[in-house]
Each structure stands twice: as C-alpha cells, then as structure tokens.
Amino acid sequence: MLKFNNVSAGYGGAEILRNVSLEVKEGEVVTIVGANGAGKTTSLRSLCGLIPLTSGSIEFQGQQINGLQPHEIVDRGITLVPEGRQLFPFITVRDNLLMGAYKKTARKDAEKRLEEVLELFPRVRERLGQYASQLSGGEQQMVAIGRGLMSQPKLLMFDEPSLGLSPLLVSQVFDIIRSIVQSGTTVLIVEQNIGHTLRLADRGYVLENGEVVVDGTGEQLLDDPHVKRAYLGL
Amino acid sequence: MEIFLQLLINGLMLGGTFAIISIGLTLIFGIVRVVNFAHGEFLMIAMYGVYLMNLQFGLHPYVAMLPMFFLMFALGAVMQRYIIQPLLSASDEIQIFATVGVSTALMNAGLMVFGADVYSVDMSSAVVGTGMTSIGSLTINNGQLMTFIVSILLIGALDWFLKYTFLGRAIRATAQHRDAALLMGVDVKKIYIIAFGLGAGCLGLAGGLMAPQYPVFPTVGTFFVLTAFIIVVLGGLGSLHGAFLGALIIGVVDSLAGYYIAPDLKEVVYFSIFIAILIFRPTGLFGAGRGSE
C-alpha cells in the first residue's frame, strides 16, 4: 500500500533521513521506532508532503505521491494524527472534529461519521461545545485521534500518540488504536514507547540516525538483542 | 440632554461607517496575518467604482455595491496571490513594505486617472439613502442608518459563514493553526486568497454605502483607514465583534469629543484611548491573544 524507496529528506541542507526504504501493506499495523532525533517524525512529515525529499520516492497504492501538496495527499486517504495533538485551540471540539472531515469526499458523511467517533470516545461527547484548549491532555488526544478518523483514512498515522500522557491513558490510547486496526484501517505508528508499540504492531522498523538498522515482525524485534539492549533496557 | 442624545446617535451612525471599513481589515489581519496598508486605497477604488457605475449606468450606489463586492473580491484575491503569497515566508517588515508600496502606487494611479478633483455621486433623484428621519427632536441620516444596518447584517453573515460552513471552519482553523489545517487537507494558500478577497470585498459594500455621504478623491482612503487601524487594535486584532464595538466606541468618541472638547482635538482623544489600550490591554477589548477569532 505504502512504499518508501530509498528516501532521503531533511531541513535546509541537513539530511535527517538517509536512504530509508520501508513498506506498509494493506490492513497492517507498522511501527517506526527509535530514539529522539532518529528521523521518525521527519519520515512522517515527508510522507505528508510537509518537507520535500532530497532523493528517492514515496508510493501510495502504486502511485508516486512525493511532490504532491499536503492537501492532495490527504485527499488520497492518508491522514496524520500529529505529535502534540495540534488541535485548533479556540474553536469548539465539535468543529475540530468536523475539520477532520474537510476533504470533499468526507464532507457528505461528516455528521454520521461524527456519531461513530463519539461512540468510540463517549467522554468527548460531553465536551463538544468547549474550546479544544480547555480540555485535559488525555481528552485532547482523544479529539486528535477522532479528528483523524473523521477523514475516513485508508492509512492513519500516529506520531507519538502516548507523548505526555499518564501510563493509564497510554494504555487507553493503545486500546483505541487496536480497535481502529480491527475495523480495518491500515495504521503506521511512530513511537518512543517501544515496548507497547511493538506488542501492537505486525511489523516494525528501527531508525537510528536517519537509517533503518533493524526491521522485522513485532515479536522478532522484541527479541532482537540490539533492540533489547538499546531500547528496552534489558 | 437633547444635544447629548443627538451626538450619541451621530456617533453611533458614524461608527457604522467605521465598522464597515474595519471589518475587512480585521478579517485580513486575523486570517492572513498581514497588515494591509493598501486598505484605504482599496476603499478609494471601490468608491470610484461606485461613482463610475452610477455615472455610466445610472445605478444607485446601493445596487452598484453588489457588483463592486465581487470586483473588490477579485482585486483582493489578486493582491494576495501575486503580491503577498510570494512574501509569506518573508519577514513582517517586507510584507508591510509591499502593502505600503501598493498603497502609494494605487493612490498615485487614482491621481493620474481621475485627477485631484473631488467627485460626488449625484443623489438628487435617488429615493433611498438620502434625507433624514426625525424621531421627536432627534434626526438620523438615512444613508448612515443604512450603513449601520448593513454592517450589522454583514457581521451576522460572516459569523454564520465562519461558524457553519466547511470553508468557514477551515478559514478559522487556518488562522489558528496553519500546519494542523494543512494536515486536515486544507489548501492553505487558497484559504488566504479567499480571506483576502472577502476582506477587500467588504470594501466594495463600503464604497456603495458611503457614496451618498462622502465624496471620492485619490487620498480619501487615508482619511478613513487610520481610524480603521485604531478600531481594529481597539477591538482585538482579528475579532469581528471587537471591530464592530470598537467602531461604535470611536464613532461616539469622535462625535462627543468634537462637540464637548474641540473639533480639532477629537483625534487626540481617540489616539489617547488607542495608546491606553496598547498599554493596559494590548490584546484589545475582544482579543484573547493570537488567533483567537
């Protein structure tokens, strides 16, 4: 479904991603793990069209998508739930969610979709009329995920969904991601919380200094001596 | 007391005129985050446009303001697309210089085409927009009353548009968080073009509404736009309701200070208010900070 072919990208001459190749198949949960600064977020930003590639290509459903504008990439069915939630602070939770259904193909069913999302997040229903900035961090994360679902994505990506949440909320967020996966959406997760993520993922890639150093199934990576030593502290 | 009430009415009516000019300015600032120093010259163009439509086709200014809305929308959209957009990543000063440059160029273009003469729309045969309405001993200028009413309707319409349409929501979202809007599939450049067009389009309406009371000349814009800047800051940058309230306040201050203090000193009074606002409440009366609209 999604393919990175030898992708390099970076900001202002500094190359952050080097020659990264990876693949996500339809219906899979794939994760990119690695330490801070390894290039995880950069890989998602380049996929979303927010930063240009310096070399290589990105394919989605057999078509090249690097070079497209960010809104064109969203139109193709790729949605990012960004790091740090990035909600619209002074508009209501309801309007934040509806913004998720901005792309033309999602507008028609927006109200119906909103109901489905609210069933998934009952707590959010009570907050619909409030500004997003008035919500707690956990609630904001729910709205951010809900907003991502509103676009009816084919591929939903999460950038550090557990960042800044309490351990209890982290488990809840991963439960929600699991239920999204079960509903048939393909998911790509970028995380520092490696243990949780690898247990959820079908396959994973470990990024270090902008390069893929190890890849394999979630279980293989959990057993990998390098991953154990460097990331799990075992 | 009677004089005070009459002054109050005059002030509120003047505020209506200020409001219709300020709405577009605050809209552009709130969304595109560009201070459009050419706003006054856009108003001049709208006023000349209404004048010409009246002269050539005999259109009443209140009719001419509708096509003028779309013409000004197009002018604003072109300005955003070809002057502001290439400078979006440049520093604020560069953008300011660009709009000041457009302002000077347009003002001189007006001088070149129309000369320095003062023109007024001939309202002698018009049925609406002229004359006075008396309520007891108080009088209201009908043209100003119309401006006042339209400015309220315009704010209502913009409010509805921004709150309840996908495009309107996207405009607010873009103003608050540009990057997140991109991730929602919003074509941010298009949003800026539409927002700038809307802001300029409001001046098309202003041009028609003001025609019965105000003559047009190449520097007519500077006459109003400085006041509009004060109003926009007073109301909270980017706030529509703030701009409306600010316009009424400045209108009333203008009217009262002109009578009770001295006509020459009314600017001193509202600039003092302006400075006080900047010192004590820099976000303005309605502003909750950056991107709150």
Side-chain angles (χ1 to χ4, degrees), chain A residues 45 48 50 69-71 74 79-80 82 86-91 95 98-104 107 110 147, chain B residues 163 166-167 169-170 172-174 176-177 179-187 189-191 288 290-292:
Chain A
R45 290 180 68 86
C48 291
L50 295 171
Q69 294 289 316
H71 64 94
V74 175
T79 299
L80 172 67
Q86 318 265 350
L87 298 178
F88 304 107
F90 300 107
I91 68 181
D95 283 355
L98 286 172
M99 270 310 292
Y102 179 76
K103 69 175 187 183
K104 290 228 160 53
R107 286 186 197 184
R147 189 180 62 172
Chain B
K163 278 207 177 87
F166 274 98
L167 184 59
R169 267 195 294 268
R172 280 188 300 149
T174 303
Q176 291 180 15
H177 201 324
D179 287 352
L182 274 175
L183 292 175
M184 298 303 110
V186 177
D187 184 350
K189 285 178 182 165
K190 198 174 92 186
I191 293 289
R290 206 179 141 81
S292 58

Side-chain angles (χ1 to χ4, degrees), chain B residues 78-134:
Chain B
V78 166
M79 165 114 170
Q80 169 62 26
R81 172 64 189 82
Y82 293 103
I83 295 173
I84 307 297
Q85 187 174 306
L87 298 175
L88 270 184
S89 53
S91 65
D92 292 354
E93 303 90 82
I94 303 288
Q95 294 175 1
I96 288 172
F97 283 133
T99 65
V100 170
V102 169
S103 159
T104 311
L106 290 178
M107 199 189 294
N108 286 287
L111 198 58
M112 202 167 82
V113 175
F114 295 97
D117 292 341
V118 172
Y119 295 101
S120 294
V121 174
D122 178 16
M123 295 297 287
S124 53
S125 60
V127 199
V128 284
T130 56
M132 301 282 187
T133 300
S134 299

Side-chain angles (χ1 to χ4, degrees), chain A residues 11 14 37 57 61 102 161 187 227:
Chain A
Y11 305 88
S57 66
Q61 296 188 314
Y102 179 76
V187 168
V227 173

Side-chain angles (χ1 to χ4, degrees), chain A residues 36-53:
Chain A
N36 226 343
K40 306 186 300 292
T41 297
T42 307
S43 57
L44 293 187
R45 290 180 68 86
S46 56
L47 173 51
C48 291
L50 295 171
I51 50 173
L53 306 189

